[in-house]
Amino acid sequence: MVQGKFGRRAAMSASVLALAVASVPALAAPSEARTTAGTEVGITARQDDALPKPDLDALHKVFAQVMAGGAPGVMTRIDNGNTVYRETAGVADRANGQAMNTDARFRIGSITKSFSTVVLLQLVQEGKIALDAPVNQYLPGLLPDSTITVRHLLTHRSGLWDYTNDMFANTVPGFEAVRNKVFTYQELVNLSLAHPRTAKPGAAYQYSNTNFVVVGALIEKVTGNPVGAEYQRRIITPLQLNNTFYVHPSATIPGRHIKGYLTPDEAGAPLVDSTDQTVSWAQSAGAMVSNPRDLNRFFSSLLGGRLLSSGMLTEMLKMTPSDDTGTRFYGLGLRQRDLSCGISVYGHTGTVQGFYSYAFTTRDGRRSVSSMANTSNNGNVNTILGNTLEAAFCGKAPAPKTPATQGPSSKRSAAATPKAPFYEDIAPNVARH
Ligand code: REX
Protein backbone atom coordinates (compact mmCIF):
# COMPACT_ATOMS: atom_id res chain seq x y z
CA MET A 1 0.00 0.00 0.00
CA VAL A 2 1.22 3.45 -0.85
CA GLN A 3 2.14 5.61 2.11
CA GLY A 4 -0.72 7.90 2.95
CA LYS A 5 -3.47 5.61 1.75
CA PHE A 6 -5.75 4.18 4.35
CA GLY A 7 -6.52 0.55 4.88
CA ARG A 8 -9.82 -0.44 6.41
CA ARG A 9 -11.20 -3.79 7.38
CA ALA A 10 -14.16 -3.68 9.69
CA ALA A 11 -15.86 -6.93 10.57
CA MET A 12 -19.32 -7.52 11.94
CA SER A 13 -19.61 -11.08 13.07
CA ALA A 14 -19.83 -13.35 16.05
CA SER A 15 -17.42 -16.19 16.25
CA VAL A 16 -18.12 -19.78 16.99
CA LEU A 17 -15.15 -19.39 19.30
CA ALA A 18 -17.34 -17.22 21.50
CA LEU A 19 -19.47 -20.25 22.24
CA ALA A 20 -16.45 -22.42 22.81
CA VAL A 21 -14.76 -20.13 25.28
CA ALA A 22 -17.94 -19.21 27.13
CA SER A 23 -17.65 -22.35 29.20
CA VAL A 24 -13.98 -21.75 30.03
CA PRO A 25 -13.93 -18.63 32.17
CA ALA A 26 -10.15 -18.43 32.27
CA LEU A 27 -10.06 -18.07 28.51
CA ALA A 28 -13.24 -16.11 28.00
CA ALA A 29 -11.57 -13.11 26.47
CA PRO A 30 -13.59 -11.42 23.73
CA SER A 31 -13.64 -13.70 20.76
CA GLU A 32 -11.90 -12.62 17.62
CA ALA A 33 -14.29 -12.02 14.82
CA ARG A 34 -13.53 -14.24 11.87
CA THR A 35 -14.33 -11.81 9.14
CA THR A 36 -17.18 -12.92 6.95
CA ALA A 37 -17.77 -9.75 4.99
CA GLY A 38 -20.36 -8.20 7.20
CA THR A 39 -22.35 -11.33 7.88
CA GLU A 40 -23.48 -12.25 11.37
CA VAL A 41 -22.47 -15.88 11.70
CA GLY A 42 -23.15 -16.54 15.36
CA ILE A 43 -25.96 -16.22 17.81
CA THR A 44 -24.01 -14.74 20.66
CA ALA A 45 -23.14 -11.36 19.14
CA ARG A 46 -22.86 -9.04 22.09
CA GLN A 47 -22.69 -5.35 21.35
CA ASP A 48 -21.83 -2.84 23.98
CA ASP A 49 -24.98 -0.80 23.53
CA ALA A 50 -23.90 1.67 26.17
CA LEU A 51 -21.23 3.10 23.87
CA PRO A 52 -21.64 4.92 20.58
CA LYS A 53 -20.28 3.20 17.49
CA PRO A 54 -16.64 3.99 16.76
CA ASP A 55 -16.27 6.92 14.40
CA LEU A 56 -14.04 5.50 11.66
CA ASP A 57 -13.98 8.72 9.66
CA ALA A 58 -12.72 10.60 12.69
CA LEU A 59 -10.20 7.81 13.28
CA HIS A 60 -8.82 8.17 9.76
CA LYS A 61 -8.60 11.93 10.18
CA VAL A 62 -6.45 11.27 13.24
CA PHE A 63 -4.34 8.85 11.17
CA ALA A 64 -3.78 11.54 8.54
CA GLN A 65 -2.60 13.95 11.25
CA VAL A 66 -0.29 11.33 12.78
CA MET A 67 1.33 10.76 9.40
CA ALA A 68 1.50 14.45 8.57
CA GLY A 69 3.32 14.79 11.90
CA GLY A 70 6.03 12.39 10.77
CA ALA A 71 4.97 8.78 11.46
CA PRO A 72 5.53 6.34 8.57
CA GLY A 73 2.46 4.37 9.60
CA VAL A 74 -0.31 4.06 12.16
CA MET A 75 -2.98 1.56 13.12
CA THR A 76 -5.87 0.98 15.48
CA ARG A 77 -7.68 -2.23 16.30
CA ILE A 78 -11.02 -2.02 18.09
CA ASP A 79 -12.60 -5.10 19.67
CA ASN A 80 -16.19 -4.35 20.57
CA GLY A 81 -17.91 -7.45 21.84
CA ASN A 82 -17.69 -9.66 18.79
CA THR A 83 -17.07 -6.91 16.30
CA VAL A 84 -13.51 -6.19 15.24
CA TYR A 85 -12.30 -3.13 13.37
CA ARG A 86 -8.81 -3.18 11.88
CA GLU A 87 -7.80 0.25 10.66
CA THR A 88 -4.44 1.20 9.17
CA ALA A 89 -2.60 3.90 7.28
CA GLY A 90 0.89 4.16 5.87
CA VAL A 91 3.69 1.66 6.01
CA ALA A 92 5.10 -0.88 8.42
CA ASP A 93 8.46 -0.86 6.65
CA ARG A 94 9.86 2.13 4.81
CA ALA A 95 12.49 0.05 3.01
CA ASN A 96 10.09 -2.20 1.15
CA GLY A 97 6.88 -0.15 1.39
CA GLN A 98 4.98 -2.94 3.14
CA ALA A 99 1.62 -1.67 4.37
CA MET A 100 0.82 -1.27 8.05
CA ASN A 101 -0.95 -4.37 9.33
CA THR A 102 -2.85 -4.81 12.58
CA ASP A 103 -1.74 -8.44 12.93
CA ALA A 104 1.94 -7.52 12.97
CA ARG A 105 3.95 -7.30 16.18
CA PHE A 106 5.71 -4.31 17.66
CA ARG A 107 7.47 -3.18 20.84
CA ILE A 108 4.89 -2.14 23.43
CA GLY A 109 7.18 -0.26 25.83
CA SER A 110 5.55 0.53 29.13
CA ILE A 111 2.39 -1.43 28.42
CA THR A 112 4.72 -4.13 29.78
CA LYS A 113 4.19 -2.50 33.19
CA SER A 114 0.60 -3.77 33.28
CA PHE A 115 1.80 -7.32 32.60
CA SER A 116 4.43 -7.03 35.35
CA THR A 117 1.77 -5.73 37.72
CA VAL A 118 -0.57 -8.64 37.02
CA VAL A 119 2.22 -11.12 37.80
CA LEU A 120 3.09 -9.28 40.98
CA LEU A 121 -0.53 -9.02 42.14
CA GLN A 122 -1.02 -12.72 41.53
CA LEU A 123 1.92 -13.27 43.88
CA VAL A 124 0.16 -11.04 46.41
CA GLN A 125 -2.98 -13.15 46.00
CA GLU A 126 -0.90 -16.25 46.67
CA GLY A 127 0.43 -14.72 49.88
CA LYS A 128 4.01 -14.59 48.60
CA ILE A 129 4.30 -10.80 48.66
CA ALA A 130 2.47 -8.15 50.71
CA LEU A 131 1.53 -4.93 48.91
CA ASP A 132 2.39 -2.70 51.83
CA ALA A 133 5.55 -4.49 52.91
CA PRO A 134 8.94 -2.84 52.41
CA VAL A 135 10.71 -3.87 49.20
CA ASN A 136 13.84 -4.51 51.25
CA GLN A 137 12.03 -7.29 53.12
CA TYR A 138 12.28 -9.35 49.92
CA LEU A 139 15.41 -7.81 48.42
CA PRO A 140 17.51 -6.98 51.49
CA GLY A 141 19.67 -3.91 51.05
CA LEU A 142 18.59 -3.18 47.45
CA LEU A 143 17.03 0.20 48.23
CA PRO A 144 18.52 2.87 50.46
CA ASP A 145 15.18 3.57 52.14
CA SER A 146 13.42 0.69 53.88
CA THR A 147 10.13 2.55 53.97
CA ILE A 148 9.68 2.13 50.21
CA THR A 149 6.89 -0.43 49.82
CA VAL A 150 5.80 -2.67 46.98
CA ARG A 151 2.73 -0.44 46.47
CA HIS A 152 4.98 2.62 46.15
CA LEU A 153 6.69 0.96 43.19
CA LEU A 154 3.43 0.07 41.43
CA THR A 155 1.98 3.55 41.89
CA HIS A 156 5.18 5.45 40.92
CA ARG A 157 5.41 6.88 44.42
CA SER A 158 8.75 5.49 45.56
CA GLY A 159 10.74 8.64 44.85
CA LEU A 160 13.34 6.58 42.95
CA TRP A 161 14.95 8.67 40.19
CA ASP A 162 14.20 7.56 36.62
CA TYR A 163 17.63 6.61 35.26
CA THR A 164 16.32 6.86 31.67
CA ASN A 165 16.30 10.66 32.09
CA ASP A 166 20.09 10.56 31.89
CA MET A 167 20.32 7.67 29.46
CA PHE A 168 18.22 9.33 26.76
CA ALA A 169 19.01 13.00 27.31
CA ASN A 170 20.46 12.88 23.77
CA THR A 171 18.07 10.75 21.81
CA VAL A 172 19.95 8.91 19.06
CA PRO A 173 23.38 8.73 20.75
CA GLY A 174 21.67 7.60 23.97
CA PHE A 175 19.80 4.91 22.11
CA GLU A 176 22.83 3.69 20.14
CA ALA A 177 24.83 3.46 23.36
CA VAL A 178 22.39 0.96 24.89
CA ARG A 179 20.68 -0.76 21.97
CA ASN A 180 22.89 -3.86 22.19
CA LYS A 181 23.66 -3.73 25.88
CA VAL A 182 22.50 -6.24 28.48
CA PHE A 183 22.00 -4.82 31.95
CA THR A 184 21.36 -6.55 35.25
CA TYR A 185 18.55 -5.17 37.39
CA GLN A 186 21.18 -4.16 39.93
CA GLU A 187 23.05 -2.08 37.34
CA LEU A 188 19.87 -0.20 36.42
CA VAL A 189 18.98 0.37 40.07
CA ASN A 190 22.51 1.66 40.67
CA LEU A 191 22.06 4.22 37.88
CA SER A 192 18.96 5.46 39.68
CA LEU A 193 20.60 5.54 43.09
CA ALA A 194 23.38 7.77 41.79
CA HIS A 195 20.75 10.51 42.15
CA PRO A 196 18.96 11.57 45.31
CA ARG A 197 15.37 10.42 45.73
CA THR A 198 12.89 12.81 44.09
CA ALA A 199 10.40 12.72 46.99
CA LYS A 200 9.70 10.90 50.24
CA PRO A 201 8.13 7.46 49.70
CA GLY A 202 4.40 7.84 49.13
CA ALA A 203 4.50 11.63 48.90
CA ALA A 204 4.19 12.22 45.15
CA TYR A 205 3.39 10.53 41.87
CA GLN A 206 6.55 10.63 39.77
CA TYR A 207 6.77 8.33 36.80
CA SER A 208 9.98 6.28 36.95
CA ASN A 209 11.06 3.21 35.04
CA THR A 210 13.19 2.30 38.06
CA ASN A 211 10.04 1.25 39.92
CA PHE A 212 9.19 -1.46 37.44
CA VAL A 213 12.77 -2.68 37.15
CA VAL A 214 12.55 -3.33 40.90
CA VAL A 215 9.19 -5.05 40.32
CA GLY A 216 10.96 -7.43 37.90
CA ALA A 217 13.69 -8.10 40.45
CA LEU A 218 11.01 -8.82 43.07
CA ILE A 219 9.16 -11.26 40.81
CA GLU A 220 12.38 -13.14 40.05
CA LYS A 221 13.42 -13.24 43.70
CA VAL A 222 10.09 -14.48 45.02
CA THR A 223 9.39 -17.03 42.27
CA GLY A 224 12.95 -18.12 41.54
CA ASN A 225 12.11 -17.85 37.83
CA PRO A 226 13.00 -15.41 35.06
CA VAL A 227 10.29 -12.78 34.70
CA GLY A 228 9.64 -13.96 31.11
CA ALA A 229 8.68 -17.42 32.38
CA GLU A 230 6.18 -15.85 34.78
CA TYR A 231 4.56 -13.72 32.04
CA GLN A 232 4.30 -16.87 29.97
CA ARG A 233 2.85 -19.12 32.66
CA ARG A 234 0.45 -16.66 34.24
CA ILE A 235 -0.75 -14.53 31.31
CA ILE A 236 0.48 -15.42 27.82
CA THR A 237 -0.38 -19.13 27.88
CA PRO A 238 -3.75 -18.93 29.71
CA LEU A 239 -4.99 -16.13 27.43
CA GLN A 240 -3.43 -17.67 24.32
CA LEU A 241 -1.59 -14.47 23.48
CA ASN A 242 0.28 -16.02 20.57
CA ASN A 243 1.78 -12.74 19.44
CA THR A 244 3.13 -11.68 22.82
CA PHE A 245 6.75 -12.25 23.79
CA TYR A 246 9.38 -11.37 26.31
CA VAL A 247 12.53 -12.24 24.42
CA HIS A 248 15.02 -10.15 26.39
CA PRO A 249 17.95 -10.01 25.76
CA SER A 250 17.34 -11.04 22.14
CA ALA A 251 17.39 -7.91 19.98
CA THR A 252 14.94 -9.07 17.32
CA ILE A 253 11.15 -9.13 17.19
CA PRO A 254 10.00 -12.66 16.36
CA GLY A 255 7.91 -13.22 13.23
CA ARG A 256 5.96 -10.68 11.21
CA HIS A 257 6.55 -7.27 12.73
CA ILE A 258 6.53 -3.56 12.21
CA LYS A 259 9.70 -1.53 11.90
CA GLY A 260 10.21 1.29 14.37
CA TYR A 261 11.65 4.67 13.35
CA LEU A 262 13.18 6.95 15.93
CA THR A 263 13.00 10.71 15.34
CA PRO A 264 16.37 12.41 15.93
CA ASP A 265 16.51 15.59 18.02
CA GLU A 266 17.93 17.58 15.11
CA ALA A 267 15.14 19.06 13.00
CA GLY A 268 15.02 17.58 9.51
CA ALA A 269 17.42 14.71 10.25
CA PRO A 270 16.28 11.39 8.76
CA LEU A 271 14.42 8.84 10.86
CA VAL A 272 16.59 6.08 12.38
CA ASP A 273 15.52 2.45 12.05
CA SER A 274 15.43 1.44 15.72
CA THR A 275 13.60 -1.89 15.35
CA ASP A 276 16.35 -4.13 16.66
CA GLN A 277 17.49 -3.59 20.23
CA THR A 278 17.71 -5.58 23.46
CA VAL A 279 15.47 -3.14 25.37
CA SER A 280 17.56 -4.26 28.31
CA TRP A 281 17.40 -0.69 29.60
CA ALA A 282 13.71 -1.34 30.35
CA GLN A 283 13.20 -5.10 30.87
CA SER A 284 10.16 -5.56 33.15
CA ALA A 285 9.42 -1.84 32.74
CA GLY A 286 9.06 -2.00 28.97
CA ALA A 287 10.63 -4.82 26.92
CA MET A 288 7.64 -6.84 25.72
CA VAL A 289 6.49 -7.39 22.15
CA SER A 290 2.82 -7.83 21.25
CA ASN A 291 0.15 -6.94 18.69
CA PRO A 292 -3.23 -5.19 18.95
CA ARG A 293 -5.28 -8.39 19.07
CA ASP A 294 -3.32 -9.64 22.07
CA LEU A 295 -3.27 -6.28 23.84
CA ASN A 296 -7.04 -5.96 23.48
CA ARG A 297 -7.49 -9.47 24.76
CA PHE A 298 -5.13 -8.84 27.68
CA PHE A 299 -6.82 -5.67 28.94
CA SER A 300 -10.29 -6.99 28.27
CA SER A 301 -9.48 -10.09 30.31
CA LEU A 302 -7.89 -8.04 33.07
CA LEU A 303 -10.82 -5.65 33.48
CA GLY A 304 -13.23 -8.52 32.91
CA GLY A 305 -11.84 -10.14 36.04
CA ARG A 306 -10.15 -13.11 34.42
CA LEU A 307 -6.59 -12.50 35.60
CA LEU A 308 -6.98 -11.26 39.17
CA SER A 309 -9.36 -11.73 42.06
CA SER A 310 -11.93 -8.96 42.38
CA GLY A 311 -10.16 -7.72 45.51
CA MET A 312 -6.85 -7.43 43.70
CA LEU A 313 -8.44 -5.78 40.65
CA THR A 314 -9.98 -3.25 43.02
CA GLU A 315 -6.48 -2.51 44.35
CA MET A 316 -5.17 -2.11 40.81
CA LEU A 317 -7.96 0.38 40.07
CA LYS A 318 -7.24 2.64 43.04
CA MET A 319 -6.37 5.75 41.07
CA THR A 320 -4.65 9.00 41.89
CA PRO A 321 -4.13 11.88 39.42
CA SER A 322 -1.04 11.63 37.21
CA ASP A 323 -1.29 15.27 36.12
CA ASP A 324 -3.50 18.27 36.80
CA THR A 325 -5.93 17.88 33.89
CA GLY A 326 -8.43 16.03 36.07
CA THR A 327 -8.72 13.40 33.34
CA ARG A 328 -5.63 11.21 33.78
CA PHE A 329 -4.93 8.88 36.66
CA TYR A 330 -2.57 6.09 37.65
CA GLY A 331 -3.49 3.03 39.68
CA LEU A 332 -1.21 0.02 40.13
CA GLY A 333 0.60 -0.36 36.81
CA LEU A 334 -2.54 0.89 35.10
CA ARG A 335 -3.66 4.21 33.67
CA GLN A 336 -7.14 5.67 33.63
CA ARG A 337 -8.16 8.29 31.09
CA ASP A 338 -11.49 10.08 31.18
CA LEU A 339 -12.69 10.82 27.67
CA SER A 340 -14.73 13.75 26.38
CA CYS A 341 -17.90 11.67 26.10
CA GLY A 342 -17.83 10.98 29.83
CA ILE A 343 -16.46 7.44 29.93
CA SER A 344 -13.36 6.25 31.71
CA VAL A 345 -11.01 3.80 30.03
CA TYR A 346 -8.19 1.74 31.55
CA GLY A 347 -4.92 0.53 30.13
CA HIS A 348 -1.43 1.82 29.48
CA THR A 349 0.67 3.77 27.03
CA GLY A 350 4.05 2.80 25.68
CA THR A 351 7.05 4.59 24.26
CA VAL A 352 10.07 2.68 23.10
CA GLN A 353 12.41 3.91 20.38
CA GLY A 354 10.43 3.85 17.13
CA PHE A 355 7.06 2.93 18.61
CA TYR A 356 4.28 4.88 20.33
CA SER A 357 1.38 2.79 21.56
CA TYR A 358 -1.89 3.00 23.46
CA ALA A 359 -3.97 0.08 24.76
CA PHE A 360 -7.17 0.82 26.71
CA THR A 361 -10.45 -0.86 27.56
CA THR A 362 -13.75 0.00 29.18
CA ARG A 363 -14.44 -0.82 32.83
CA ASP A 364 -16.34 -3.94 31.80
CA GLY A 365 -13.64 -4.89 29.26
CA ARG A 366 -16.17 -5.05 26.43
CA ARG A 367 -14.62 -2.47 24.14
CA SER A 368 -10.85 -2.53 23.81
CA VAL A 369 -8.71 -0.32 21.61
CA SER A 370 -5.04 -0.53 20.69
CA SER A 371 -3.25 2.05 18.57
CA MET A 372 0.33 2.25 17.40
CA ALA A 373 2.41 4.68 15.34
CA ASN A 374 5.86 3.57 14.25
CA THR A 375 7.84 6.56 15.36
CA SER A 376 8.83 8.16 18.67
CA ASN A 377 10.62 11.19 20.11
CA ASN A 378 7.88 13.20 18.45
CA GLY A 379 5.54 14.44 21.18
CA ASN A 380 3.15 15.93 18.68
CA VAL A 381 2.54 12.54 17.07
CA ASN A 382 2.08 10.89 20.47
CA THR A 383 -0.46 13.51 21.49
CA ILE A 384 -2.41 13.13 18.26
CA LEU A 385 -2.28 9.34 18.44
CA GLY A 386 -4.09 9.62 21.79
CA ASN A 387 -7.07 11.03 19.89
CA THR A 388 -7.67 7.60 18.38
CA LEU A 389 -9.18 6.76 21.78
CA GLU A 390 -11.75 9.54 21.40
CA ALA A 391 -12.76 8.33 17.93
CA ALA A 392 -12.85 4.67 18.95
CA PHE A 393 -14.62 4.95 22.31
CA CYS A 394 -16.67 8.11 21.97
CA GLY A 395 -17.70 7.80 18.34
CA LYS A 396 -20.14 10.36 17.04
CA ALA A 397 -22.43 10.59 20.05
CA PRO A 398 -22.83 14.05 21.56
CA ALA A 399 -20.96 14.50 24.82
CA PRO A 400 -23.32 14.02 27.76
CA LYS A 401 -23.88 16.90 30.15
CA THR A 402 -23.12 14.80 33.20
CA PRO A 403 -19.59 13.71 34.12
CA ALA A 404 -18.18 10.20 33.91
CA THR A 405 -20.33 7.51 35.39
CA GLN A 406 -18.22 4.41 34.83
CA GLY A 407 -14.95 4.85 36.62
CA PRO A 408 -13.86 5.20 40.21
CA SER A 409 -12.71 8.75 39.52
CA SER A 410 -16.05 9.91 38.16
CA LYS A 411 -16.60 12.20 41.09
CA ARG A 412 -13.24 13.83 40.55
CA SER A 413 -13.62 14.47 36.84
CA ALA A 414 -16.26 17.13 36.60
CA ALA A 415 -14.71 18.41 33.36
CA ALA A 416 -13.99 15.43 31.17
CA THR A 417 -12.42 17.37 28.30
CA PRO A 418 -8.63 17.46 28.55
CA LYS A 419 -7.46 20.98 29.38
CA ALA A 420 -3.91 20.73 28.17
CA PRO A 421 -2.12 19.25 25.19
CA PHE A 422 -1.09 15.75 26.00
CA TYR A 423 2.51 14.76 26.56
CA GLU A 424 2.57 11.49 28.45
CA ASP A 425 4.31 11.86 31.76
CA ILE A 426 7.69 10.50 30.84
CA ALA A 427 10.78 12.25 32.00
CA PRO A 428 9.21 15.22 33.70
CA ASN A 429 12.63 16.82 34.07
CA VAL A 430 13.89 16.30 30.56
CA ALA A 431 12.47 17.47 27.25
CA ARG A 432 11.65 13.92 26.24
CA HIS A 433 8.70 12.79 24.23
C1 REX B 1 12.42 6.12 26.72
C2 REX B 1 13.02 7.07 25.73
C3 REX B 1 10.99 6.42 27.11
C4 REX B 1 12.18 7.37 24.59
C5 REX B 1 10.47 5.58 28.26
N1 REX B 1 9.73 4.51 27.92
O1 REX B 1 10.70 5.87 29.41
C6 REX B 1 8.98 3.72 28.86
C7 REX B 1 7.54 3.92 28.46
C8 REX B 1 9.40 2.27 28.80
O2 REX B 1 7.01 3.26 27.60
N2 REX B 1 6.92 5.00 28.98
C9 REX B 1 5.66 5.46 28.47
C10 REX B 1 12.83 8.15 23.47
C11 REX B 1 5.72 6.92 28.23
C12 REX B 1 4.50 5.24 29.38
O3 REX B 1 4.62 4.74 30.47
O4 REX B 1 3.42 5.60 28.98
N3 REX B 1 13.02 9.53 23.81
C13 REX B 1 11.83 8.00 22.35
C14 REX B 1 14.21 10.11 23.94
C15 REX B 1 14.18 11.60 24.27
O5 REX B 1 15.26 9.53 23.79
N4 REX B 1 15.45 12.22 24.36
O6 REX B 1 10.94 8.85 22.24
O7 REX B 1 11.90 6.97 21.67
Side-chain angles (χ1 to χ4, degrees):
M1 186 182 298
V2 181
Q3 187 169 352
K5 287 271 174 65
F6 298 137
R8 174 177 296 182
R9 282 203 294 148
M12 284 282 292
S13 77
S15 162
V16 177
L17 184 62
L19 294 170
V21 297
S23 57
V24 187
L27 296 179
S31 57
E32 183 159 12
R34 305 285 174 218
T35 306
T36 53
T39 313
E40 296 264 341
V41 295
I43 53 168
T44 58
R46 189 187 64 174
Q47 294 302 311
D48 193 337
D49 296 328
L51 292 179
K53 280 185 81 158
D55 185 342
L56 300 184
D57 292 334
L59 192 65
H60 282 275
K61 281 186 185 133
V62 174
F63 285 1
Q65 291 168 3
V66 164
M67 291 184 56
V74 54
M75 65 172 163
T76 296
R77 171 169 164 143
I78 305 167
D79 284 73
N80 186 53
N82 293 306
T83 305
V84 183
Y85 302 85
R86 300 172 179 88
E87 308 296 316
T88 65
V91 294
D93 185 331
R94 295 175 83 215
N96 62 15
Q98 205 164 66
M100 187 55 76
N101 186 305
T102 57
D103 292 333
R105 299 159 184 169
F106 58 92
R107 300 197 184 281
I108 64 171
S110 287
I111 301 173
T112 304
K113 291 181 170 78
S114 299
F115 286 77
S116 300
T117 303
V118 166
V119 171
L120 194 120
L121 293 181
Q122 287 192 359
L123 294 170
V124 173
Q125 267 171 225
E126 293 160 17
K128 294 176 181 142
I129 295 184
L131 261 181
D132 295 303
V135 173
N136 280 354
Q137 183 177 315
Y138 308 101
L139 295 164
L142 180 72
L143 302 181
D145 183 336
S146 286
T147 67
I148 296 174
T149 66
V150 176
R151 192 190 296 272
H152 290 150
L153 300 176
L154 297 173
T155 52
H156 289 297
R157 287 174 173 271
S158 66
L160 292 167
W161 167 260
D162 189 347
Y163 59 84
T164 61
N165 289 342
D166 310 319
M167 206 174 251
F168 301 126
N170 298 310
T171 304
V172 175
F175 169 63
E176 296 293 358
V178 300
R179 76 183 295 174
N180 293 311
K181 269 202 175 160
V182 180
F183 293 96
T184 63
Y185 290 127
Q186 184 72 59
E187 284 169 336
L188 295 173
V189 170
N190 290 348
L191 291 175
S192 166
L193 297 182
H195 289 266
R197 258 55 68 216
T198 55
K200 284 203 160 61
Y205 170 87
Q206 270 173 347
Y207 191 90
S208 173
N209 287 306
T210 313
N211 292 316
F212 280 81
V213 161
V214 178
V215 166
L218 259 175
I219 290 169
E220 295 200 350
K221 179 70 189 287
V222 167
T223 63
N225 294 322
V227 74
E230 294 297 321
Y231 296 137
Q232 190 69 42
R233 189 166 79 81
R234 295 170 180 275
I235 305 171
I236 296 172
T237 299
L239 295 182
Q240 299 173 355
L241 305 183
N242 302 327
N243 299 283
T244 302
F245 303 90
Y246 185 80
V247 292
H248 173 267
S250 165
T252 52
I253 302 177
R256 180 180 190 173
H257 62 273
I258 290 153
K259 292 213 163 166
Y261 298 97
L262 178 61
T263 313
D265 293 330
E266 302 73 25
L271 298 175
V272 173
D273 183 340
S274 50
T275 314
D276 291 347
Q277 65 154 316
T278 59
V279 207
S280 196
W281 59 268
Q283 302 191 45
S284 44
M288 290 182 88
V289 165
S290 190
N291 77 353
R293 176 259 187 203
D294 280 10
L295 292 177
N296 285 353
R297 180 175 278 229
F298 169 66
F299 280 112
S300 186
S301 301
L302 174 59
L303 274 292
R306 291 183 286 274
L307 286 170
L308 295 173
S309 68
S310 64
M312 214 44 71
L313 184 57
T314 301
E315 292 293 338
M316 199 170 181
L317 285 163
K318 282 186 181 163
M319 298 281 165
T320 58
S322 58
D323 62 20
D324 60 5
T325 60
T327 62
R328 298 186 186 120
F329 306 89
Y330 206 87
L332 273 54
L334 191 71
R335 294 188 188 279
Q336 176 185 325
R337 299 188 75 176
D338 293 350
L339 302 178
S340 65
C341 54
I343 70 151
S344 300
V345 292
Y346 304 86
H348 218 287
T349 45
T351 303
V352 65
Q353 288 84 1
F355 301 98
Y356 281 133
S357 50
Y358 288 73
F360 282 83
T361 192
T362 47
R363 178 62 189 85
D364 61 7
R366 287 172 64 178
R367 184 178 296 180
S368 300
V369 175
S370 292
S371 297
M372 194 278 318
N374 55 345
T375 196
S376 69
N377 195 40
N378 182 334
N380 187 40
V381 161
N382 199 18
T383 302
I384 297 166
L385 186 65
N387 292 336
T388 58
L389 300 181
E390 288 284 336
F393 286 111
C394 290
K396 285 189 163 99
K401 291 194 173 65
T402 48
T405 52
Q406 285 203 14
S409 79
S410 57
K411 291 185 197 71
R412 294 192 295 267
S413 58
T417 307
K419 284 188 226 151
F422 172 62
Y423 277 52
E424 198 52 88
D425 57 346
I426 52 172
N429 304 308
V430 174
R432 175 143 64 84
H433 312 302

